[in-house]
Amino acid sequence: MTTGTVTAALDGSAQSAAAADWAADEAVRRGMSLRLVHAWLWNPLDAAVALDPDLQERWALGVLRDGEARVRTAHPELEVTTELLADEPVPALVAAGAGTDLLVLGSRGHGTVLGYLLGSVSLRVLRQATRPVVVARAPRPGEASRPLDEVVVGVGETGSRDRDVNPVLEFAFAAAAARGATLRAVRAWTIPPVFAWGAGSMRLADEAGGLEPLQRRELADALEPWRKEYPDVPVVEHVEIGSAPEVLVSNGGRAALTVVGVHDPDARLRRLGSTVHAVLHHAPAAVAVVPG
């Protein structure tokens, strides 16, 4: 489903302003419109804003108004709409994400406490989302001089899934094409215990010339249909022995965007997993989490 819209969630914080900036830039790159949303229900306990529901609503509308003014200043040609979502934040943003090409949320920082700084709302939205969600963050000091010329994507085992239906790789290639960036496809692998090997696995490894060549062949096979779909996107294939979180983060030094997938089809039971959490904690730029 393509809607031609990028949606950014605003809450009045500097982090959501960074999300709006990122979403506006992405909408321009992809020739899409931008939708700014704020989830709000009157909360009589929210004395930090106001006890009066009319004052709370005016504050909420002001968040959207300020966000719109911000992105229009940077991109006067961009089509921008705003919407106040009358619901609790998590269901409102999950629903908003389901009706857009891309939902963009803000993050407050990097490091081991990011799970708290990102916020329970954002983490719950990531777990329940049915469409891609990007967690954007403001650049850190000194990052302006760092080249951001790659989109990095983690490529795990595809198993029996159709190689031509891979939303993670589809998103990553499209993002690289929109930026004119190189796609760095990263595959981490570990040596399995002996008891985990069956006759079929041993035969495949022998035919490929060993375990690492087998991993390289499987990565190349996963990328093949997307290379054909996006022939102008330069691709770097990186295979490395090690844990997926460490290998993916260590290859993100030039990443303008890091793309990871979550594969549990039941969003109600979905866990983000160690790789997604590691990238959210430590990736220096925006992170896209793609259900697939």
Side-chain angles (χ1 to χ4, degrees):
M1 178 188 71
T2 299
T3 65
T5 305
V6 176
T7 298
L10 301 181
D11 62 7
S13 67
Q15 294 74 39
S16 73
D21 292 344
W22 194 96
D25 292 343
E26 190 71 5
V28 170
R29 288 189 196 98
R30 299 193 181 213
M32 295 181 175
S33 62
L34 175 66
R35 178 188 179 213
L36 303 176
V37 300
H38 176 70
W40 174 82
L41 281 179
W42 177 59
N43 180 1
L45 301 180
D46 193 359
V49 177
L51 292 177
D52 185 276
D54 292 335
L55 288 178
Q56 283 193 22
E57 184 173 10
R58 284 201 292 273
W59 179 87
L61 291 171
V63 167
L64 291 173
R65 184 172 58 251
D66 293 346
E68 181 179 8
R70 179 186 181 92
V71 298
R72 286 193 184 280
T73 298
H75 300 288
E77 77 289 357
L78 180 61
E79 179 185 344
V80 183
T81 60
T82 63
E83 185 176 354
L84 194 61
L85 306 176
D87 199 351
E88 296 292 342
V90 172
L93 295 180
V94 170
T100 190
D101 283 281
L102 183 62
L103 175 66
V104 185
L105 308 174
S107 168
R108 297 182 186 176
H110 303 72
T112 56
V113 295
L114 182 61
Y116 299 99
L117 294 177
L118 181 58
S120 62
V121 168
S122 294
L123 288 173
R124 288 160 64 194
V125 171
L126 286 170
R127 292 188 188 104
Q128 298 177 38
T130 58
R131 301 279 291 164
V133 179
V134 165
V135 177
R137 50 180 61 104
R140 288 183 289 186
E143 275 192 340
S145 60
R146 182 172 64 91
L148 302 176
D149 53 4
E150 292 186 345
V151 170
V152 176
V153 59
V155 185
E157 294 184 4
T158 57
S160 61
R161 285 179 289 162
D162 187 345
R163 290 186 303 142
D164 297 326
V165 182
N166 188 321
V168 178
L169 286 177
E170 181 179 23
F171 182 93
F173 269 88
R179 286 167 173 72
T182 295
L183 181 76
R184 178 175 292 271
V186 177
R187 184 178 177 92
W189 67 285
T190 57
I191 298 175
V194 174
F195 63 79
W197 282 84
S201 299
M202 295 177 65
R203 179 178 58 80
L204 288 174
D206 287 342
E207 290 177 352
L211 292 177
E212 183 166 340
L214 175 62
Q215 298 293 328
R216 294 187 181 280
R217 190 181 76 183
E218 290 184 352
L219 175 59
D221 287 347
L223 295 173
E224 179 186 3
W226 302 104
R227 283 180 176 272
K228 293 178 180 177
E229 183 75 16
Y230 293 91
D232 296 329
V233 173
V235 179
V236 174
E237 298 180 24
H238 183 91
V239 174
E240 182 178 339
I241 190 168
S243 73
E246 292 177 356
V247 171
L248 192 55
V249 170
S250 68
N251 276 272
R254 301 177 71 103
L257 178 67
T258 299
V259 183
V260 290
V262 287
H263 301 297
D264 193 330
D266 189 343
R268 296 170 300 176
L269 304 175
R270 181 184 297 149
R271 295 180 180 272
L272 295 179
S274 60
T275 300
V276 175
H277 275 288
V279 173
L280 288 171
H281 277 70
H282 300 295
V287 176
V289 179
V290 182

